[in-house]
Amino acid sequence: MDLNTVLEVRDARRRDTWQDGDAWLGGGTYLFSEPQPHIRRLLDLSRMGWEPLRVTAAGDLEIAATCTIAQLSRLPTPAGWTATPLFEQCCRAFLASWKIWNMATVGGNLCNGLPAGPMISLTAALDGVCRLLSRTGAVREVPVAEFVVGAGVKVLRPGELLRSITLPARALAARTAFRQASLYGLGRSGALVIGTLDPVDHSLTVTVTASTVRPIRFWFPPGPGARAVRQAIEEGVEPDEYYDDIHGLPAWRRHMTFRFAEEIRRELTEEAAQ
């Protein structure tokens, strides 16, 4: 879609003063998908030269905000990264064609902040931390689970830029379980729940997304029972936090959340004990 209110496209490497009507341009799959009458200037990130995927000396994975879904999907899997099946599972959770995969970015998915954003699901479940840059050069770090605080609502300040998301080595070595539900085949996620079993202390974390307006994480000591998991979700998710749109009613999303959480608990804890 043409954005006929845009008057200028600028190289994001130039440190211009942030103005009302500015927007960062990454892959553009959302920006150009519907009218954006408030936008007057696009700051193009395509020439920033950020390495899409980088393994740090500590074994963490740094994902540049401009990394595309296709690049993430093709990530080689080092030995010991038992959590890497989640990358492909979450990439496949996109309601998108291969053409979108080659343009849409990980950072764009997070910055849209939509409940069904599978890159939010992936990075929140693996203890991801967002690195945010202000126009003055100041840096702050925010856990992905705290970066999105509502449907389309983020903690980004005016002019602030998501630079990267870092996934710690310990999370990448976790055992994982993935569950997703949609009202129809290849449809937008109505519930997406991910479980991780810590490789060190064997604690269980259940991350609820898509069914709720924000990612919500639950931590349990080793070997939690079904009652403990259900009670934690009942107390940790407010009734109005279950999302309501044409892709699923809140009651159905809630039901699927409990069902998936229990399936994940059994898969990661009971089977591991056998």
Side-chain angles (χ1 to χ4, degrees):
M1 172 176 288
D2 292 334
L3 301 182
N4 55 19
T5 61
V6 172
L7 303 176
E8 187 179 11
V9 179
R10 299 292 290 270
D11 189 329
R13 292 174 298 180
R14 300 178 59 176
R15 289 190 174 274
D16 296 332
T17 302
W18 186 263
Q19 304 173 7
D20 288 339
D22 281 357
W24 299 109
L25 172 62
T29 55
Y30 167 72
L31 281 179
F32 292 99
S33 69
E34 61 182 50
Q36 310 284 350
H38 62 288
I39 295 179
R40 298 292 180 270
R41 187 171 66 161
L42 295 175
L43 305 180
D44 185 6
L45 298 169
S46 64
R47 297 181 181 180
M48 297 299 286
W50 297 336
E51 186 177 358
L53 298 157
R54 185 177 71 90
V55 180
T56 70
D60 302 338
L61 175 64
E62 182 183 77
I63 307 171
T66 49
C67 174
T68 67
I69 306 309
Q71 289 170 325
L72 182 65
S73 176
R74 294 193 296 263
L75 173 69
T77 55
W81 283 17
T82 54
T84 50
L86 277 182
F87 288 84
E88 187 68 13
Q89 289 168 326
C90 289
C91 287
R92 294 289 172 188
F94 263 99
L95 182 62
S97 68
W98 64 269
K99 291 183 286 186
I100 297 297
W101 268 39
N102 282 279
M103 291 301 297
T105 63
V106 175
N109 194 247
L110 266 74
C111 290
N112 279 345
L114 300 179
M119 296 297 100
I120 299 172
S121 307
L122 170 67
T123 54
L126 294 181
D127 296 328
V129 176
C130 298
R131 184 168 180 243
L132 309 178
L133 306 180
S134 74
R135 297 300 283 168
T136 63
V139 179
R140 66 182 180 120
E141 294 185 342
V142 178
V144 173
E146 299 173 14
F147 178 74
V148 178
V149 294
V153 184
K154 294 81 59 181
V155 298
L156 283 169
R157 298 164 182 166
E160 202 167 33
L161 171 67
L162 173 59
R163 166 61 180 86
S164 62
I165 308 97
T166 299
L167 307 181
R170 181 167 171 172
L172 292 168
R175 283 189 56 212
T176 64
F178 174 94
R179 296 292 189 279
Q180 178 202 18
S182 175
L183 290 178
Y184 49 91
L186 301 179
R188 181 174 295 178
S189 298
L192 200 162
V193 183
I194 294 172
T196 59
L197 193 68
D198 189 276
V200 178
D201 63 15
H202 305 292
S203 60
L204 173 70
T205 301
V206 176
T207 303
V208 176
T209 57
S211 58
T212 51
V213 297
R214 61 184 177 90
I216 304 177
R217 288 167 53 83
F218 299 93
W219 180 89
F220 304 94
R227 182 176 180 180
V229 172
R230 183 174 183 89
Q231 182 176 357
I233 296 174
E234 284 180 338
E235 296 176 356
V237 183
E238 298 294 333
D240 61 357
E241 289 187 303
Y242 285 103
Y243 197 44
D244 185 5
D245 70 355
I246 61 172
H247 299 285
L249 294 174
W252 173 74
R253 294 177 190 264
R254 180 178 185 274
H255 169 76
M256 296 308 298
T257 297
F258 284 117
R259 173 179 169 177
F260 287 162
E262 173 57 15
E263 289 180 1
I264 286 171
R265 184 196 69 82
R266 291 180 180 178
E267 178 177 337
L268 292 181
T269 62
E270 294 184 358
E271 292 181 9
Q274 295 177 359

